[in-house]
């Protein structure tokens, strides 16, 4: 099997794929990007926190125009994963308002997005209906 | 606070739309000279200039305007604050007057955007030889479109849908009805980029950009400029009675940024900073939302207008859908919102928007708005928001001098 790497650094692959956040040890605020400090309390100590892989769609849109190389239409959503908000595409369901609903339960899934010249496969995440 | 009261002495917006024959500076100078003339003053009188232009890229716009309109050696501030740039420029001029550094200040916003298409988020990185991580997420390719959307129509669609999820009642048809209202209002505004009434069917059946926002539910990219001259109350009292009569009091001038909230770095929170700005503005002006005769708010997308009814406290918390359905924000309603046609029809030349909305309010408070005049208007509120984020709220009142 080809070597796999996660699309972003906050995605952990393997048997139990999940997202990991930088959690401020002082106030508990969570972030997905590289941090200089906490935007909530300016603290500088973080621990790695596993984010729930199940959630509900708190908001979504169906994007019909996007940058070159992005298939449209696609569903962009804000997922409430047990109190941590995650931005992701909703996948494995038709991109229309009949199939994507506010409050819909979803779960994390992963999928390859391409292979580079050295045979390394990049794997991204999305959320799929969990009903 | 014993600081000086500040008034709008002169103000102007150009026609919004396509200006093929005019460049950025032509537009900026047209608005500048018209605002000066409206106030009965000249560049010689100005003690400060603050100006903004986001997409021109040619250099410091304030000094470029001076090079055409008058190099008087005054301090020049170049302002950049996304869609709140115009409001920020005005506020810089106000602060200088309030601080006693200047008697008169000039604020200008200008943009050439016609035909710019959709202002998208990050474009895709080039396919490399081997995956390479870059940016703060350590992503191997652009995240826009692969991990949700960064495009403006998509981001603001999610902002409106989130409100719907929280309070219910907001659906595609309701958002389209908000757009129908604004396009209806625009027919009375000769300076709007688009002045065509649109039916609900036309709006819902138009090109879908980012559900639930179709093309006419998105702000229109266009060319335009707006400029304002501000003056201290003590100076105003030395001017002619006609200048005093037409002057508009800036009862509140507020700028906020977005305080930290859970999720605000995942989906921009345009709510908290707008609510904060509104609270501060009402307190500073000593008026409440029920006192407003008209409101120009930042309807960059139909989905945005709904949430700002609530953020500006024009309705009960969670009551924006009912507020709209009651007819309140229509021009014959209790709190007319965007009688100019709003950004969806008037157009959104980014840096000009935060002054153009104040021009609209002043026009009504002066009783000079012609067929679209809100009769007897005495108090108005102008709101803009720029993502990243910045929110400007100004409350304006008829002069009682
Ligand atoms: Zn913290």
């Amino acid at each position: 099997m080809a070597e796999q790497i996660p699309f972003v650094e906050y995605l952990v692959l393997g048997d139990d794929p999940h997202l990991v956040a930088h959690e401020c040890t002082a106030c508990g605020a969570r972030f997905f990007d590289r941090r200089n400090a906490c935007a909530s309390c300016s603290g500088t100590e973080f621990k790695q926190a596993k984010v729930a892989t199940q959630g509900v769609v708190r908001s979504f849109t169906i994007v019909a125009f996007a940058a070159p190389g992005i298939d449209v239409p696609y569903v962009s959503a804000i997922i409430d994963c047990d109190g941590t908000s995650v931005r992701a595409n909703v996948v494995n369901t038709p991109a229309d308002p009949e199939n994507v609903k506010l409050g819909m339960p979803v779960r994390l899934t992963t999928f390859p997005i391409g292979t580079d010249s050295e045979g390394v496969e990049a794997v991204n995440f999305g959320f799929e209906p969990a009903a | 606070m014993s600081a000086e009261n500040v008034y709008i002495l002169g103000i102007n917006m150009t026609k919004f739309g396509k200006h093929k024959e005019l460049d950025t500076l032509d537009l900026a100078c047209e608005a500048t000279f018209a605002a000066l003339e409206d106030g009965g003053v000249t560049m010689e009188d100005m003690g400060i200039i603050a100006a903004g232009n986001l997409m021109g890229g040619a250099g410091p716009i304030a000094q470029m305007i001076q090079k055409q309109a008058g190099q008087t050696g005054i301090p020049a501030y170049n302002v950049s604050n996304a869609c709140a740039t115009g409001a920020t420029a005005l506020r810089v001029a106000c602060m200088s007057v309030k601080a006693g550094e200047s008697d008169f200040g000039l604020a200008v916003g200008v943009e050439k955007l016609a035909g710019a298409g959709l202002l998208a988020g990050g474009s895709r990185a080039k396919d490399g030889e081997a995956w390479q991580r870059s940016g703060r997420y350590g992503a191997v390719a652009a995240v826009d479109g692969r991990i949700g959307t960064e495009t403006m129509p998509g981001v603001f669609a999610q902002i409106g849908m989130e409100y719907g999820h929280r309070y219910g009642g907001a659906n595609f048809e309701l958002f389209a009805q908000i757009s129908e209202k604004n396009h209806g209002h625009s027919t009375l505004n000769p300076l709007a980029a688009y002045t065509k009434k649109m039916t609900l069917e036309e709006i819902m059946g138009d090109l879908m950009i980012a559900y639930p926002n179709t093309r006419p539910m998105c702000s229109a990219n266009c060319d335009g400029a707006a400029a304002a001259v501000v003056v201290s109350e003590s100076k105003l009292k030395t001017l002619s009675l006609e200048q005093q009569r037409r002057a508009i009091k800036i009862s509140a001038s507020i700028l906020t940024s977005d305080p930290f909230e859970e999720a605000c770095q995942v989906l921009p929170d345009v709510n908290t900073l707008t609510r904060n700005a509104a609270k501060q503005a009402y307190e500073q002006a000593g008026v409440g939302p029920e006192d407003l005769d008209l409101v120009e708010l930042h309807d960059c997308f139909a989905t945005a207008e709904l949430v700002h009814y609530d953020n500006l406290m024009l309705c009960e918390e969670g009551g924006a859908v009912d507020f709209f359905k009651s007819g309140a924000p229509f021009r014959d309603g209790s709190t007319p919102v965007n009688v100019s046609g709003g950004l969806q029809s008037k157009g959104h030349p980014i840096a000009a928007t935060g002054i153009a909305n104040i021009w609209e309010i002043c026009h009504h408070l002066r009783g000079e708005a012609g067929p679209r005049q809100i009769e007897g208007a005495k108090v108005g509120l102008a709101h803009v928001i720029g993502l990243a984020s910045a929110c400007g709220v100004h409350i304006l009142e008829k002069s009682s001098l």
Side-chain angles (χ1 to χ4, degrees):
Chain A
M1 195 171 121
E3 187 198 341
Q4 292 190 327
I5 59 166
F7 179 68
V8 284
E9 282 174 330
Y10 63 90
L11 170 63
V12 176
L13 300 177
D15 294 337
D16 173 29
H18 62 275
L19 303 180
V20 63
H22 305 298
E23 184 178 300
C24 175
T25 56
C27 77
R30 289 182 169 188
F31 304 91
F32 292 110
D33 60 343
R34 184 168 68 77
R35 300 305 302 178
N36 296 82
C38 173
S40 177
C41 75
S42 305
T44 52
E45 271 186 43
F46 294 90
K47 65 177 185 190
Q48 301 305 300
K50 184 180 172 182
V51 177
T53 56
Q54 303 259 348
V56 296
V57 173
R58 208 179 72 215
S59 183
F60 74 91
T61 180
I62 303 164
V63 179
F65 290 87
I70 303 293
D71 292 331
V72 289
Y74 70 89
V75 178
S76 165
I78 307 300
I79 318 289
D80 183 346
C81 293
D82 204 13
T84 300
S85 294
V86 175
R87 191 178 82 189
N89 290 5
V90 173
V91 297
N92 300 334
T93 190
D96 60 52
E98 285 69 47
N99 286 282
V100 183
K101 301 280 186 198
L102 293 169
M104 182 171 87
V106 289
R107 65 175 164 240
L108 186 106
T109 182
T110 59
F111 46 88
I113 61 155
T115 304
D116 73 3
S117 56
E118 285 157 31
V120 178
E121 197 170 60
V123 176
N124 195 8
F125 70 95
F127 283 77
E128 62 184 6
Chain B
M1 239 173 19
S2 59
E4 277 264 25
N5 286 324
V6 184
Y7 290 72
I8 303 269
L9 182 67
I11 190 161
N12 178 265
M13 69 173 269
T14 67
K15 161 88 176 141
F16 281 6
K18 282 195 183 79
H19 288 283
K20 272 191 193 145
E21 69 294 353
L22 302 178
D23 68 13
T24 301
L25 272 178
D26 291 325
L27 285 166
C29 289
E30 181 184 321
T32 295
F33 283 119
L36 289 166
E37 192 186 337
D38 186 49
V41 288
T42 68
M43 277 301 271
E44 288 273 299
D45 297 311
M46 297 302 109
I48 173 184
I49 176 172
N53 169 237
L54 293 181
M55 312 301 274
I61 188 70
Q63 285 88 342
M64 289 166 69
I65 292 167
Q66 289 181 306
K67 297 275 182 303
Q68 300 298 325
Q71 288 177 251
T72 54
I74 57 173
Y77 293 80
N78 291 285
V79 171
S80 171
N81 223 354
C83 303
T85 293
T88 307
L90 180 70
R91 190 163 153 64
V92 168
C94 285
M95 287 193 295
S96 171
V97 171
K98 242 187 188 342
E101 285 197 2
S102 329
D103 291 327
F104 296 97
L106 173 65
V108 189
V110 60
E111 217 71 67
K112 285 273 290 181
L113 274 183
L118 289 170
L119 301 176
S123 58
R124 191 191 186 191
K126 277 227 159 57
D127 286 325
E129 287 287 293
W131 300 115
Q132 263 196 330
R133 296 199 181 278
S134 68
R136 290 235 156 186
Y137 297 118
V140 298
V143 298
D144 178 34
R146 294 190 175 87
I147 300 181
T149 183
E150 292 177 349
T151 62
M152 290 298 107
V155 167
F156 278 95
Q158 291 177 130
I159 285 166
M161 293 290 278
E162 184 189 39
Y163 190 89
H165 178 52
R166 189 174 301 163
Y167 299 113
N171 53 31
F172 181 21
E173 185 171 342
L174 182 104
F175 290 122
Q177 285 169 340
I178 292 175
S179 191
E180 182 189 18
K181 167 183 76 76
N182 289 352
H183 285 287
H185 285 171
S186 76
T187 59
L188 296 172
N189 185 357
L191 297 186
Y194 299 95
T195 54
K196 194 171 143 275
K197 193 174 172 64
M198 293 187 80
T199 65
L200 192 61
E201 291 67 36
E202 285 172 325
I203 291 166
M204 293 181 77
D206 207 306
L207 187 66
M208 183 58 76
I209 304 293
Y211 179 90
N213 287 321
T214 63
R215 186 168 46 190
M217 297 164 72
C218 301
S219 52
N221 290 326
C222 67
D223 306 335
V229 173
V230 293
V231 63
S232 66
E233 181 167 304
S234 51
K235 189 71 187 179
L236 178 59
K237 284 177 172 165
T238 69
L239 302 180
S240 74
L241 289 177
E242 176 66 1
Q243 283 166 308
Q244 293 185 36
R245 188 187 63 77
R246 290 183 72 248
I248 298 296
K249 186 178 178 189
I250 303 174
S251 301
S253 172
I254 302 292
L255 188 71
T256 56
S257 61
D258 48 331
F260 182 81
E261 293 282 336
E262 198 285 317
C264 74
Q265 296 196 12
V266 174
L267 178 68
D269 172 18
V270 302
N271 303 320
T272 312
L273 82 166
T274 297
R275 189 168 283 272
N276 288 350
K279 273 186 198 155
Q280 290 175 42
Y282 292 132
E283 193 179 316
Q284 193 172 97
V287 304
E290 66 285 355
D291 299 318
L292 301 174
D293 297 308
L294 76 161
V295 171
E296 288 285 305
L297 64 74
H298 201 70
D299 64 322
C300 50
F301 298 91
T303 46
E305 177 157 328
L306 183 80
V307 305
H308 294 315
Y309 295 152
D310 199 326
N311 296 328
L312 296 172
M313 294 174 270
L314 307 181
C315 61
E316 300 272 297
E317 200 161 336
V321 171
D322 290 342
F323 175 78
F324 177 77
K325 285 184 172 168
S326 78
F330 286 77
R331 54 169 292 116
D332 57 355
S334 55
T335 312
V337 174
N338 291 335
V339 297
S340 66
L343 309 191
Q344 292 163 62
S345 21
K346 182 174 73 174
H348 185 21
I350 306 173
T353 292
I355 297 175
N357 63 358
I358 287 170
W359 176 86
E360 179 71 22
I361 303 282
C362 289
H363 219 43
H364 291 270
L365 299 184
R366 286 167 160 182
E368 298 173 356
R372 74 177 184 289
Q373 176 71 38
I374 297 298
E375 283 310 320
K378 289 188 175 63
V379 188
L381 181 149
H383 158 259
V384 281
I385 190 157
L387 276 195
S389 296
C391 176
V393 169
H394 286 85
I395 293 178
L396 303 143
E397 287 185 78
K398 225 175 149 73
S399 168
S400 55
L401 288 181

